[in-house]
Amino acid sequence: MNSERKAAPSRVPVALGQEIAQLWSEYLDGRDVGVADDFFALGGNSLTGIKIIDRVAQDYGVQLSVRDFYLAQTPARVAELVEQGRTGT
């Protein structure tokens, strides 16, 4: 019998994902943004992405690469990147 391990659940506080979603909402014309919403499906573009990346650096002290931000695609995943940046992992 082959038992595969499942990925460990995210340890990022739910509140951080919600904060990131709210930040996105500010830059996406006040749209409702959930933690699992896709940046591009919400109408995000490169200029908006750069503004959000700058704001994350300002608010959380974590500099995300443009590539990592665009690959993350959701507030929950961006929150994971912010948490990783805070802890240095």
Side-chain angles (χ1 to χ4, degrees), residues 11-70:
R11 301 287 186 229
V12 175
V14 172
L16 181 56
Q18 292 169 340
E19 286 177 23
I20 299 293
Q22 179 58 41
L23 186 149
W24 284 23
S25 178
E26 292 174 26
Y27 288 92
L28 293 167
D29 300 324
R31 288 190 179 111
D32 287 333
V33 177
V35 295
D37 287 344
D38 182 276
F39 178 72
F40 297 105
L42 292 167
N45 59 50
S46 59
L47 180 58
T48 303
I50 296 299
K51 289 178 181 179
I52 291 172
I53 290 168
D54 286 345
R55 178 76 179 274
V56 166
Q58 178 184 2
D59 290 359
Y60 299 100
V62 174
Q63 184 63 52
L64 303 176
S65 74
V66 173
R67 181 181 186 277
D68 286 347
F69 176 82
Y70 290 135

